[in-house]
Amino acid sequence: MIHLTFIFGLLGNIVSFMVYLAPVPTFYKIYKKKSTEGFQSVPYVVGLFSAMLWIYYAFLKPDTTLLITINSVGCCIQSFYICFFLFYATKKAKMDTVKLLLLLNFFGLGVIILLTQFLANGSNRAQIVGWICLIFSLCVFVAPLGVLRQVIKTKSVEYMPFLLSFFLTLSAVMWFFYGLLRKDYNIAIPNVLGFTLGVIQMVLYLIYKNAKKVTEEVKLSENLENTETVVEEHKLPEELLKEQIIDVVKLSTMVCSEIIPMVTELNEINVPQISVIINEEKMKPKGTIEASVEL
């Protein structure tokens, strides 16, 4: 039994370490863009608080070395994430992160430690801290329900990576058996909910993993249809324009055909006759209209 407890605890350490490394791609994006953009520091501040709380609980219980090791590593990694976030964050984001750190990790944890140290004793102290850890872990596991709602609403798994859901589920399984074999239900009970929600996340991923591609293809086909419709609508004005151009060309040829004979006839008239006619036109009073050239 002791060997199985150690094995599940060791596996829990390994899987949890991989879960802690899951945000690395996010921080790589922040490093490349030199900006935190729409990312928030809340998950890392909450993760740091959770790790510190579990370390305090582990010191109150015997033979909890594996619980101390992984949460100590978690404190270091989450602290690095927070410092990295603060380096590239905007002034407002920095202020919000510092306020949350002071409220949760200093004031909140400090109040828990002081109250349990002065108002509780021995086994009661460990039991009270265990219940606080249990409730807080349940709240952390319930947090992804918003993501599940978004996946169902948008039919897209863009914001729910499969590997993260898989490792969270695997971690919940390991820590559940670790707590069950130790008969520490403060560790086992929250991981039942974690396992259940992890399975739901993976099922939703399998259901909606191709939905995004389908919707994109539908949108593309709709855009093509709209483009074809616009082109067909523009075809008619183009044809009318071509017909109008042809009519203008025909009209111009007709006018030119009438002008050319008239010019030839004018050329046949003697120049003196034309000058006489012009002089007569100058002597005529205004208002009279007569033919200038008589054929």
Side-chain angles (χ1 to χ4, degrees), residues 41-171:
S41 61
V42 176
Y44 315 111
V45 176
V46 171
L48 179 61
F49 175 75
S50 177
M52 294 170 70
L53 194 60
W54 279 109
I55 289 174
Y56 177 53
Y57 173 73
F59 277 118
L60 299 175
K61 299 282 288 185
D63 302 325
T64 53
T65 305
L66 293 173
L67 202 61
I68 293 172
T69 53
I70 187 58
N71 285 289
S72 299
V73 172
C75 281
C76 295
I77 294 175
Q78 299 291 2
S79 299
F80 172 77
Y81 289 156
I82 293 169
C83 293
F84 196 92
F85 182 89
L86 289 172
F87 185 77
Y88 289 106
T90 60
K91 186 176 180 180
K92 184 179 182 303
K94 287 178 182 178
M95 292 300 297
D96 292 340
T97 303
V98 171
K99 287 178 183 178
L100 188 60
L101 274 170
L102 292 174
L103 179 64
L104 200 61
N105 296 75
F106 289 93
F107 179 76
L109 187 63
V111 168
I112 292 171
I113 293 173
L114 288 174
L115 290 178
T116 53
Q117 286 293 326
F118 290 102
L119 299 179
N121 56 0
S123 60
N124 289 332
R125 184 182 298 132
Q127 189 175 0
I128 292 170
V129 176
W131 275 102
I132 294 171
C133 290
L134 188 151
I135 294 169
F136 185 77
S137 296
L138 289 175
C139 294
V140 171
F141 280 125
V142 169
L145 288 176
V147 178
L148 297 181
R149 181 176 174 273
Q150 185 179 6
V151 169
I152 295 171
K153 185 178 179 180
T154 61
K155 296 183 179 180
S156 173
V157 293
E158 183 179 359
Y159 300 102
M160 191 181 69
F162 178 79
L163 287 178
L164 181 59
S165 301
F166 174 75
F167 282 116
L168 284 172
T169 306
L170 195 59
S171 175

Side-chain angles (χ1 to χ4, degrees), residues 219-238:
K219 288 181 180 179
L220 182 61
S221 62
E222 288 178 355
N223 290 333
L224 289 174
E225 289 177 359
N226 292 333
T227 305
E228 290 176 357
T229 305
V230 171
V231 171
E232 288 178 357
E233 288 177 355
H234 285 281
K235 277 182 180 178
L236 184 58
E238 289 178 0

